[in-house]
Amino acid sequence: MRSLEDAKAHADKLSKILKELGYEITRGHALEVVARFSDFKDWNTLSANLNKRPKLLPLPDGWIMSGTNISFFEYGLVSDQQHAGVLPMMIRKKNDTPMLGDGFATFMQSCEIGEYRGKRVRFKGELRAENCDGAVTIWLRADGNVRGQHVAFANMETRTENGPLRGTTDWQGREIVLDIPETAESLHYGYYLRGEGAGYGCNFVLDIAEDDAVLTDGQPKPLKKPFNLKFWS
């Protein structure tokens, strides 16, 4: 249940189904039933919970927001919450703004390649999801010297384990380990929310990984020569 509109829609659907079965209840009673099924004491309690909005502070220095259709999202540091001693970042889809397509918003930072060129690099952080129907995930990308040239990239979306967060979760750690090519000129990293709901993130770390650190995901290595062009396996 992401919004009052969702809750009211569930109540209207419940009333319609019961009427088709020969039972009629008032909309008020339907709203109370929806509240009880959502584990709230009553409709007033559910309504107050869905109306709560944390107070958001401006973005911290050095960080920006990007993505597709970011006007459909609200974001900032959450002033009235802490995790592990720090204020978390929050990205949330605005409940009152319908969004066409699979938009996303990302909290991100970019830096010159510097000491990371040709190294095995780890980016990690802690994430939490709230009523998310898409994905909350970290990402890491290395760009070349041509605009739009990505020489390494990972966002965990293809993982079957320890991948993006969905639904409602507690805080969970995630990390990406990538080999950064010598041709890289800049690094870009952060976390994003794709779809509805909210995603929280904090305690991010970017560092050079151990030589034997396991690569987590990223661009597949090229084959030595063409293979299986007729799909024979």
Side-chain angles (χ1 to χ4, degrees):
M1 201 76 64
R2 293 188 295 268
S3 67
L4 286 177
E5 290 71 24
D6 283 346
K8 291 175 182 178
H10 281 293
D12 292 340
K13 186 174 182 179
L14 173 63
S15 296
K16 181 180 179 180
I17 292 173
L18 288 176
K19 186 175 181 179
E20 292 172 351
L21 294 174
Y23 305 95
E24 289 199 41
I25 62 174
T26 66
R27 192 170 193 241
H29 285 154
L31 292 172
E32 292 295 332
V33 171
V34 167
R36 298 289 183 88
F37 268 108
S38 301
D39 296 323
F40 288 92
K41 177 183 177 182
D42 52 34
W43 170 252
N44 287 336
T45 305
L46 172 59
S47 178
N49 183 274
L50 292 176
N51 274 325
K52 285 194 304 184
R53 285 290 184 272
K55 182 179 179 180
L56 297 179
L57 300 175
L59 299 180
D61 291 343
W63 294 87
I64 64 170
M65 293 301 300
S66 187
T68 60
N69 300 323
I70 61 173
S71 62
F72 291 93
F73 298 87
E74 55 185 344
Y75 45 82
L77 288 173
V78 183
S79 63
D80 57 354
Q81 296 183 27
Q82 283 198 10
H83 174 66
V86 300
L87 299 179
M89 181 69 182
M90 185 199 78
I91 308 171
R92 177 163 52 195
K93 168 67 173 54
K94 296 177 181 177
N95 288 330
D96 58 350
T97 310
M99 180 172 61
L100 298 176
D102 199 14
F104 76 96
T106 181
F107 178 56
M108 65 168 289
Q109 190 173 98
S110 301
C111 72
E112 295 180 357
I113 194 65
E115 62 178 333
Y116 304 109
R117 189 193 308 274
K119 300 294 185 180
R120 184 159 292 186
V121 171
R122 176 188 293 108
F123 178 60
K124 62 182 180 180
E126 295 184 73
L127 303 173
R128 181 169 75 84
E130 187 176 276
N131 297 318
C132 175
D133 66 356
V136 179
T137 182
I138 58 173
W139 60 275
L140 172 63
R141 191 184 79 223
D143 287 357
N145 58 8
V146 178
R147 183 177 178 83
Q149 179 191 35
H150 310 321
V151 296
F153 176 72
N155 62 8
M156 307 197 310
E157 290 264 19
T158 59
R159 292 188 192 178
T160 56
E161 295 183 358
N162 297 319
L165 274 56
R166 297 181 175 88
T168 297
T169 70
D170 291 327
W171 286 98
Q172 298 182 28
R174 289 291 187 271
E175 72 173 45
I176 290 170
V177 179
L178 275 182
D179 281 338
I180 306 302
E182 293 285 349
T183 55
E185 294 294 336
S186 60
L187 288 181
H188 312 266
Y189 44 89
Y191 89 97
Y192 64 76
L193 166 70
R194 176 173 57 78
E196 301 278 349
Y200 298 78
C202 65
N203 292 325
F204 298 110
V205 176
L206 179 72
D207 59 12
I208 297 175
E210 308 81 22
D211 291 340
D212 59 352
V214 177
L215 294 171
T216 52
D217 45 12
Q219 302 285 5
K221 293 184 178 180
L223 298 170
K224 293 183 178 180
K225 59 182 180 179
F227 172 74
N228 197 22
L229 301 185
K230 294 185 178 181
F231 317 129
W232 290 341
S233 301

